[in-house]
Amino acid sequence: MTSSAPRPISLITGASRGIGAACVQQLQQAGHQLILVARDTTALQTLAMPDDLVISADLTDESQILACFRQVQQHFGRLDHLVNAAGMMQDSALALTKSANLAAHFQLNVTATFLCCQLASRLMLRQKCGNIVTFGSKVGENGSSGQAAYCASKAAVSGMSKALAKELGPQGIRVNVVAPGFIDTTLTAHYNAEQRAQLTSQTALRRLGTAADVAAVVGFLCSDAAGYITGQVLAVDGGLVL
């Protein structure tokens, strides 16, 4: 009698809410064993299945990222998928954007993603296979007025991910970018009804996106069906035109 294949081990950052939480549900349904990472331990424990690993970590602190991956190594000894869902977005006109705001965007959206990719790839290189999903944005590709800091950070994620796809591909590791349009989550809760109506009118499907819409694409990228896809920026935007 042959043994069944081991369950995929997948780490999701920013797993406590929004798109990250939707990715948790998507991958749980697909049978993955998860490592849930965020600052809100209570929310993570609510989402976690009994055999999932919950790690409380502030990803703006490099030492906490290192500690997180040490736990993964000790607990599982391997990693199959990394989903970098943690991120921040603060709207600000160029004239009013402080350097601290720009630095904060890059610290979480870019540096934390880079470090997670670096540490995850070290585990994946041992098994000569793996999959990394990063998060760009529609505005990171096309730009958006009043979001220069956020757009710059997301454009950096796209460029970094394409480079990693080329570097890690020969070792069997795929790297792709998911670029959402306007997604109705707590991150965009400050948008008023008029702004939402305008964005809806600019979207071909005439509705705003949901976290589940994005998680479905992440689920696809974390499946064997996406085994020949790497170095791509996949827009999940309903046909949004900015």
Side-chain angles (χ1 to χ4, degrees):
M1 182 176 179
T2 58
S3 60
S4 59
R7 294 171 63 193
I9 305 297
S10 304
L11 187 154
I12 303 172
T13 69
S16 62
R17 61 178 184 168
I19 292 172
C23 290
V24 168
Q25 296 173 333
Q26 181 75 32
L27 295 185
Q28 284 173 339
Q29 291 170 7
H32 292 226
Q33 190 164 4
L34 301 182
I35 303 113
L36 282 61
V37 180
R39 288 177 294 185
D40 189 344
T41 307
T42 301
L44 293 180
Q45 290 172 338
T46 300
L47 289 165
M49 300 291 281
D51 57 353
D52 290 338
L53 176 62
V54 168
I55 299 177
S56 175
D58 179 354
L59 297 183
T60 64
D61 183 340
E62 182 175 353
S63 66
Q64 293 190 42
I65 296 175
L66 291 168
C68 168
F69 279 88
R70 277 197 296 269
Q71 280 189 257
V72 174
Q73 167 62 28
Q74 292 166 2
H75 197 88
F76 295 107
R78 75 176 219 271
L79 184 65
D80 300 303
H81 304 277
L82 168 66
V83 178
N84 294 282
M88 66 170 288
M89 179 184 73
Q90 292 181 356
D91 296 354
S92 178
L94 176 62
L96 302 177
T97 302
K98 297 181 179 180
S99 59
N101 179 267
L102 178 64
H105 275 89
F106 271 77
Q107 186 64 40
L108 182 56
N109 295 351
V110 184
T111 303
T113 295
F114 181 93
L115 291 171
C116 287
C117 289
Q118 182 183 65
L119 294 168
S121 69
R122 290 176 183 172
L123 290 170
M124 294 173 181
L125 285 168
R126 298 176 184 177
Q127 61 209 35
K128 300 294 183 182
C129 66
N131 168 54
I132 295 172
V133 178
T134 64
F135 275 83
S137 171
K138 176 74 171 185
V139 299
E141 302 299 311
N142 290 18
S144 177
S145 177
Q147 292 186 310
Y150 177 70
C151 292
S153 69
K154 289 301 184 178
V157 170
S158 289
M160 175 184 71
S161 301
K162 292 174 186 177
L164 293 181
K166 292 181 178 181
E167 180 176 340
L168 299 175
Q171 307 303 319
I173 300 171
R174 298 184 293 111
V175 185
N176 290 289
V177 186
V178 173
F182 187 93
I183 307 300
D184 192 9
T185 66
T186 55
L187 201 65
T188 57
H190 62 285
Y191 281 72
N192 60 38
E194 182 180 351
Q195 290 171 313
R196 290 167 180 266
Q198 181 180 357
L199 285 163
T200 301
S201 70
Q202 293 174 282
T203 303
L205 295 182
R206 293 298 188 269
R207 72 171 177 87
L208 302 180
T210 67
D213 290 324
V214 182
V217 176
V218 173
F220 165 68
L221 290 173
C222 293
S223 73
D224 291 341
Y228 200 56
I229 299 175
T230 194
Q232 302 303 306
V233 178
L234 282 74
V236 187
D237 60 9
L240 177 64
V241 178
L242 294 170

